[in-house]
Amino acid sequence: QVSLVESGGGSVQAGGSLRLSCSTSGIIHLTYNTWCMGWFRQAPGKEREGVASITFNGAVTAYSDSVKGRFTISRDNTKRTLYLEMTNLKPEDGGTYYCAATRTPCTVVGIPDAGNRGQGTQVTVSS
């Protein structure tokens, strides 16, 4: 059984910050340090958008152009948890954020199509 659970979403004003977390259980928890992990988001009426990805060992990270320089993805392979630090948030960053786990390819573009994903956490940014 695969389980990814996101937390940390909320409502903030533009310019604010949030830190999302993704805890794991099941097979992904047991084999966490072998998975490419990432975040994608979806706003109402919009396509899913890959936000960030990180390789199994954390050595390589990648970001969408829309968040580069403002968001930071990280992982703790000891706690088997994924994080997304979001700063200088903009209204267009609002949406539901999902944690995902995939094998290959480990790309930002590929993250939304990952077979393993959580239920999402809502982020609202007011102007």
Side-chain angles (χ1 to χ4, degrees):
Q1 183 177 355
V2 173
S3 180
L4 302 169
V5 180
E6 303 91 342
S7 61
S11 297
V12 296
Q13 290 190 325
S17 300
L18 284 172
R19 188 193 196 203
L20 305 183
S21 299
C22 172
S23 62
T24 63
S25 63
I27 189 62
I28 290 183
H29 182 82
L30 294 174
T31 59
Y32 183 73
N33 61 358
T34 68
W35 290 87
C36 164
M37 303 292 294
W39 295 91
F40 69 94
R41 66 188 181 189
Q42 188 166 25
K46 293 189 176 182
E47 296 287 322
R48 290 177 294 173
E49 177 191 11
V51 173
S53 63
I54 186 167
T55 52
F56 69 98
N57 59 359
V60 180
T61 58
Y63 301 90
S64 65
D65 288 341
S66 60
V67 308
K68 198 173 295 183
R70 300 186 296 120
F71 290 12
T72 303
I73 188 171
S74 62
R75 63 191 295 162
D76 186 328
N77 280 3
T78 300
K79 295 181 179 178
R80 306 187 184 196
T81 303
L82 181 71
Y83 304 99
L84 185 68
E85 191 77 37
M86 306 187 295
T87 63
N88 191 21
L89 282 161
K90 304 176 181 180
E92 53 265 40
D93 292 320
T96 303
Y97 281 70
Y98 299 86
C99 166
T102 189
R103 290 299 191 184
T104 58
C106 192
T107 63
V108 175
V109 175
I111 285 295
D113 295 324
N116 306 296
R117 63 188 72 169
Q119 294 299 308
T121 185
Q122 183 68 36
V123 171
T124 303
V125 185
S126 58
S127 58

